[in-house]
Amino acid sequence: MKNSKFKFSVLFFMLLSMFLFSQEKMKFSSIPNILQRIEPNSKVDFWVLVYNSYGKDKEIRTSGGKKSYTPQFSGFDLFPSEDSFYYIAYSQAGKINYVLDLPSLKTFMGKIDNVEEAAIDATIEGYFVDEEFKDMAGNYYEDKSNYYLELGKLTSTECPYQKTHYTLTVSKSSGNVTDVKDNGTYIELYNKKCTNNPRLLKLEKKEEPKDEPKKSTKRR
């Protein structure tokens, strides 16, 4: 009897530890490292991921026998308001093609093969990995059936600009988003043009002229 209780206890704690491990949050790596995890499902002879910053190209990843391609002057990004961009050049059936926007990137990836591709796919709907706030909008955990992505989204382009974080449940089998949980606003961004900027309002109150004391009109 004692032996069976001991075995049950060991099994219970093993299952508990497996559950806790499966729920452990992992932070996404940098945007270039996320993009390097792309696994195209279509048969391609060669592909290269290129990062362009200030007009200069840098090859981030090359796969297959390298072929010549034409440098591009536009592309896609996984974070809003970035000055730089990425593009992909690939060879398929002897022809060079280019991936210059997010819908084309989704087609190039095909089926969701890993959690990084799930995060890339979510950017098409406006979500992103916020590299400054990964604790709230740049991490994930998973279980046997799903990926759970905690990502950010720019939810207001009016002053103040707001970022909200969400938990997206992505099915591993289908790659579809099956649930979206709104976790609330995690940052509000003001700039000089925002008329409702609290810092500007405080400065305006300080600069309000004080009423001068009235001179006495009494005669001695």
Side-chain angles (χ1 to χ4, degrees):
M1 184 71 178
K2 286 182 180 179
N3 192 33
S4 62
K5 282 184 177 180
F6 175 75
K7 286 181 179 178
F8 177 78
S9 298
V10 170
L11 179 62
F12 173 77
F13 284 109
M14 281 179 65
L15 290 171
L16 181 63
S17 61
M18 285 173 66
F19 174 77
L20 291 173
F21 177 76
S22 68
Q23 299 297 308
E24 182 184 358
K25 288 185 181 181
M26 303 289 289
K27 290 182 181 178
F28 280 106
S29 186
S30 65
I31 298 299
N33 286 338
I34 291 172
L35 287 168
Q36 287 184 68
R37 293 281 291 145
I38 291 173
E39 296 177 16
N41 294 130
S42 299
K43 190 176 181 182
V44 295
D45 310 314
F46 147 80
W47 70 278
V48 58
L49 170 67
V50 184
Y51 174 63
N52 182 288
S53 179
Y54 297 103
K56 292 183 179 181
D57 279 354
K58 180 181 178 182
E59 293 183 355
I60 303 296
R61 180 187 172 184
T62 304
S63 179
K66 192 171 181 180
K67 297 185 180 182
S68 60
Y69 60 91
T70 304
Q72 300 297 298
F73 299 100
S74 64
F76 60 86
D77 211 317
L78 301 188
F79 193 87
S81 303
E82 280 287 331
D83 295 326
S84 55
F85 62 87
Y86 298 87
Y87 67 89
I88 291 173
Y90 67 97
S91 172
Q92 192 171 37
K95 183 184 177 183
I96 296 292
N97 302 287
Y98 299 92
V99 175
L100 304 177
D101 54 38
L102 292 175
S104 300
L105 180 60
K106 181 182 176 74
T107 303
F108 179 75
M109 289 191 310
K111 182 181 175 294
I112 302 298
D113 297 302
N114 51 54
V115 70
E116 286 83 5
E117 284 195 348
I120 294 167
D121 189 64
T123 62
I124 296 168
E125 300 300 325
Y127 300 98
F128 55 83
V129 173
D130 195 331
E131 293 191 286
E132 291 184 272
F133 299 92
K134 285 186 177 179
D135 287 338
M136 291 177 287
N139 61 77
Y140 67 92
Y141 56 98
E142 59 183 290
D143 57 26
K144 189 178 179 180
S145 304
N146 301 301
Y147 299 118
Y148 303 91
L149 316 179
E150 295 193 351
L151 303 175
K153 194 172 190 179
L154 198 61
T155 47
S156 173
T157 55
E158 301 295 329
C159 290
Y161 305 99
Q162 290 183 339
K163 290 181 182 179
T164 303
H165 54 133
Y166 296 84
T167 302
L168 277 65
T169 303
V170 181
S171 168
K172 287 183 176 180
S173 58
S174 68
N176 295 328
V177 176
T178 58
D179 186 59
V180 177
K181 180 186 175 187
D182 186 337
N183 299 316
T185 301
Y186 66 93
I187 191 170
E188 291 185 336
L189 303 173
Y190 293 88
N191 63 28
K192 291 179 181 179
K193 293 180 181 179
C194 292
T195 55
N196 55 348
N197 188 332
R199 288 188 67 186
L200 289 178
L201 292 173
K202 285 180 181 179
L203 288 172
E204 285 173 6
K205 284 182 179 179
K206 284 182 180 179
E207 291 173 2
E208 282 180 4
K210 293 180 179 178
D211 293 333
E212 292 183 6
K214 291 181 180 179
K215 291 180 181 179
S216 176
T217 54
K218 277 186 177 183
R219 292 182 181 178
R220 291 182 180 177

